[in-house]
Amino acid sequence: QVQLVESGGGLVQAGGSLRLSCAASGRTFSNYAMGWFRQAPGKEREFVAAIRRSGGSTYYADSVKGRFTISRDNAKNTVYLQMNSLKPEDTAVYYCAAKYSLYDTASYYARGYDYWGQGTQVTVSS
């Protein structure tokens, strides 16, 4: 199986930046599309960003386009989420997810992912 461990969360002021990392172990990382989701208190988990297994195509929620960047380093079995110009509404627990991809596809939907990390808290103060 695949194990995912997120790190890099913390407290940041509005307008600041954070870089989240998700380290994967287990099966071959390059066989998986990767996604980031977030969940704020009292809200459902929502899509943030996704990247194909090749890293060639990325996808973002409208709320984070232009501010967040997802990337991956298959040699390091790691996916990243660079978050810039953070807003208080970005406050949430951020989850890394992996989706087995026989072909080079990705998913916007949480149900499409097979493995999940434990989450890392991101808090943006105003």
Side-chain angles (χ1 to χ4, degrees), residues 27-49:
R27 294 184 176 272
T28 303
F29 180 68
S30 61
N31 289 340
Y32 293 83
M34 302 295 296
W36 286 97
F37 293 77
R38 66 188 182 187
Q39 188 166 22
K43 297 184 178 180
E44 295 184 350
R45 190 168 300 184
E46 66 174 349
F47 170 77
V48 175

Side-chain angles (χ1 to χ4, degrees), residues 3 17 19 23 39 42 60 63 74 76 83-84 86 118 122:
Q3 295 79 46
S17 298
R19 188 193 191 197
Q39 188 166 22
Y60 299 94
S63 59
N74 287 350
K76 296 181 179 179
M83 305 185 294
N84 299 325
L86 283 162
Q118 82 290 346
V122 172

Side-chain angles (χ1 to χ4, degrees), residues 2 27-34 51-55 59 72 97-107 112-115:
V2 173
R27 294 184 176 272
T28 303
F29 180 68
S30 61
N31 289 340
Y32 293 83
M34 302 295 296
I51 188 167
R52 292 185 177 186
R53 67 184 189 187
S54 65
Y59 310 89
R72 66 191 297 161
K99 174 185 182 296
Y100 180 73
S101 182
L102 180 61
Y103 301 101
D104 195 10
T105 61
S107 179
Y113 289 83
D114 303 298
Y115 306 101

